[in-house]
Amino acid sequence: MLDMEKKIKIRVLSIREEYFDICSDALPTQKDECNNIYTMFAINFEIDKERSLLKATLWTNLFLPSKEDIPIVSYSFSYTLHIDPIQTLFSKVEGNQIDIKLPTDMASVILTDMYAAARALLSVKLSGTILNDYYLPFDGAAQLIENIRANQ
């Protein structure tokens, strides 16, 4: 459990794989091609206000510049977090529609943890392939956090 500055308590309830796919036809054929892989991320947040839950799903897609329109790997997993008080995440509530805004320190903690988990979980999935020693870039979480903040 983590206590944030404003006494927000976060507890991980589950880490669950949602999706995994390798496009065998798009995989690099030479090891040196793996150096050109770039990564795209997407994240989705869902709130269950009655149970004080935040589900964060992180999508990771790996691409080669020569095959930009086809992800060579697609992977997603979710964190389900119990957050107390959950209302601290609400920026606007209208009926069943809830707009959320994660406090900066909370977003950094959650996204850094999810990025590190993605690196570890994805490396297991890639073992036995030409990508067996590919890892998500070091300090990629900082870029992910910056992109999320820019879009909030």
Side-chain angles (χ1 to χ4, degrees):
M1 186 178 319
L2 175 68
D3 286 335
M4 307 304 287
E5 264 182 38
K6 297 179 181 178
K7 301 294 182 199
I8 299 170
K9 297 176 183 176
I10 303 173
R11 186 169 40 103
V12 177
L13 296 182
S14 71
I15 300 172
R16 181 169 291 131
E17 181 176 283
E18 301 285 339
Y19 182 81
F20 176 72
D21 185 52
I22 289 183
C23 182
S24 301
D25 296 339
L27 281 174
T29 55
Q30 303 292 320
K31 202 67 168 162
D32 63 336
E33 287 180 273
C34 296
N35 297 329
N36 299 322
I37 292 174
Y38 65 94
T39 309
M40 295 184 74
F41 294 98
I43 192 158
N44 181 58
F45 297 101
E46 296 174 38
I47 292 270
D48 178 339
K49 67 181 181 181
E50 283 76 31
R51 296 181 6 196
S52 298
L53 301 179
L54 173 69
K55 180 180 178 184
T57 304
L58 181 68
W59 282 86
T60 306
N61 292 301
L62 307 181
F63 294 88
L64 282 172
S66 61
K67 301 171 183 167
E68 286 182 355
D69 56 337
I70 303 169
I72 56 175
V73 175
S74 293
Y75 182 70
S76 73
F77 72 100
S78 63
Y79 266 31
T80 300
L81 306 169
H82 183 269
I83 299 180
D84 184 33
I86 193 78
Q87 295 78 8
T88 58
L89 306 184
F90 302 170
S91 64
K92 183 172 139 186
V93 179
E94 288 182 12
N96 289 334
Q97 179 67 33
I98 300 172
D99 292 342
I100 65 171
K101 182 168 176 81
L102 295 177
T104 302
D105 53 348
M106 181 189 296
S108 294
V109 169
I110 292 170
L111 294 172
T112 299
D113 201 59
M114 288 188 78
Y115 186 87
R119 181 184 293 129
L121 294 169
L122 191 57
S123 71
V124 172
K125 293 292 194 182
L126 298 178
S127 67
T129 73
I130 195 162
L131 302 173
N132 68 324
D133 57 357
Y134 176 81
Y135 297 95
L136 292 178
F138 187 76
D139 201 31
Q143 184 65 42
L144 179 60
I145 292 165
E146 185 178 310
N147 290 343
I148 297 294
R149 284 184 186 151
N151 292 313
Q152 268 197 344

